[in-house]
Amino acid sequence: EVRLVESGGGLVQPGGSLRLSCGASGFTLSYHWMTWVRQAPGKGLEWVANINTDGGEKYYGDSVKARFTISRDNAKNSVYLQMSSLSVEDTAVYYCASLRGFSGYDAIDYWGQGTLVTVSS
Amino acid sequence: DIQMTQSPSTLSASVGDTVSITCRASFKISNYLAWYQQKPGKAPKLLIYKASNLESGVPPRFSGSASGTEFTLTISSLQPDDFATYYCQQYHTNSYTFGQGTKLEIK
C-alpha cells in the first residue's frame, strides 16, 4: 500500500520559517515527480511546487516563488518544503503528492493526509 | 498562467440523477486535464486523467470528455457516496492550476 505522510506543520509567526517533510512507504519515490498542493481553510486547492525525479528541476507557484524551496532525498524516500517569510495567507493544509506518470506533465495520483500550517501572531 | 474556470460552484441533485460539471481553460491544454473528488477533511482523490481516462478503481459512472478548451465531468446515476466537492486541474504547463471547485449537494 502506498503511503505518503507529511510532518512538520504547526503554528508559526508571520515572517517565520518552517520545513515540511514527506515520507513515502510502499512506493519508490525516486521514480516519480513529486508535488506540494495546499488548501486554505474553507478554500480550494492551490498548487505550490513540483520537483523532478533527481531534484534538478523545480517549479513554483507565483504566490510562493522566492520564498519556498522544494527538495528531495531519494535515499531517504523523502520530499521537503522549506518555507520562509511566511504570511497569514500561507495558512493552509499542505499536501504532499506524487505525479501519476514519469514526466512533469501528469495528474496527481497519490496524496498524503496533509499537515496544517497556521501563520499567526 | 492558464486559468481554469469551473462551473457551477454548487450543484444540488438527488440520488440516481445524472449531473455534469464543466471546466473551461483560458488556453489550449491538449487534454492535459484531471478531475478530483474531495470529501471534508480528506485528501483529494484522482478520478479522471488526460480528460477522459478513468483512474483505476474509479466506478464507471464517472466519465470525462473534452471539446476544445471545455472539459466536462459527468456522473451518472448518482450514489450517496458521490456527494462531495470536485476540482478540475490542468497540467499542460509546469505551472499547474485548479478550478475553483464544485460542491455537489444532496437536494
Side-chain angles (χ1 to χ4, degrees):
Chain A
E1 179 194 4
V2 174
R3 285 194 73 204
L4 296 171
V5 179
E6 303 92 340
S7 60
L11 177 63
V12 60
Q13 292 189 336
S17 299
L18 207 58
R19 188 197 195 207
L20 305 183
S21 300
C22 171
S25 60
F27 178 74
T28 305
L29 187 140
S30 61
Y31 292 164
H32 296 271
W33 283 64
M34 298 296 291
T35 187
W36 287 92
V37 174
R38 70 183 181 181
Q39 187 169 36
K43 302 297 184 182
L45 302 170
E46 180 187 13
W47 172 73
V48 173
N50 278 4
I51 187 168
N52 76 332
T53 53
D54 67 7
E57 291 182 55
K58 303 175 185 181
Y59 302 91
Y60 299 94
D62 288 342
S63 63
V64 307
K65 209 170 288 185
R67 298 189 300 122
F68 289 12
T69 301
I70 189 172
S71 62
R72 65 192 298 158
D73 185 338
N74 288 338
K76 294 183 178 179
N77 229 28
S78 295
V79 178
Y80 308 98
L81 187 68
Q82 178 68 47
M83 306 183 294
S84 61
S85 301
L86 286 163
S87 70
V88 294
E89 289 76 27
D90 296 314
T91 294
V93 173
Y94 285 74
Y95 294 102
C96 165
S98 64
L99 299 195
R100 189 180 173 279
F102 302 106
S103 79
Y105 303 93
D106 220 320
I108 302 169
D109 56 359
Y110 296 115
W111 298 70
Q113 84 288 352
T115 187
L116 177 62
V117 172
T118 303
V119 184
S120 175
S121 55
Chain B
D1 285 357
I2 298 175
Q3 306 303 315
M4 301 302 297
T5 303
Q6 186 174 340
S7 62
S9 56
T10 306
L11 184 55
S12 296
S14 302
V15 172
D17 285 353
T18 294
V19 298
S20 293
I21 299 168
T22 298
C23 246
R24 181 172 285 109
S26 59
F27 294 99
K28 288 184 179 180
I29 58 171
S30 302
N31 288 358
Y32 287 137
L33 182 110
W35 289 98
Y36 302 88
Q37 177 194 69
Q38 187 180 33
K39 296 182 178 178
K42 300 293 186 181
K45 172 187 174 184
L46 177 63
L47 302 173
I48 302 281
Y49 63 94
K50 205 73 187 299
S52 60
N53 293 274
L54 196 66
E55 176 70 345
S56 177
V58 174
R61 63 179 181 274
F62 292 90
S63 63
S65 63
S67 177
T69 59
E70 187 166 295
F71 301 85
T72 302
L73 172 70
T74 299
I75 313 171
S76 304
S77 186
L78 275 171
Q79 300 300 301
D81 191 52
D82 299 339
F83 292 92
T85 300
Y86 293 85
Y87 295 93
C88 64
Q89 176 231 344
Q90 69 80 19
Y91 49 94
H92 175 68
T93 69
N94 264 306
S95 180
Y96 293 179
T97 43
F98 289 89
Q100 302 93 322
T102 295
K103 186 175 183 180
L104 178 56
E105 299 178 328
I106 299 176
K107 187 185 289 184

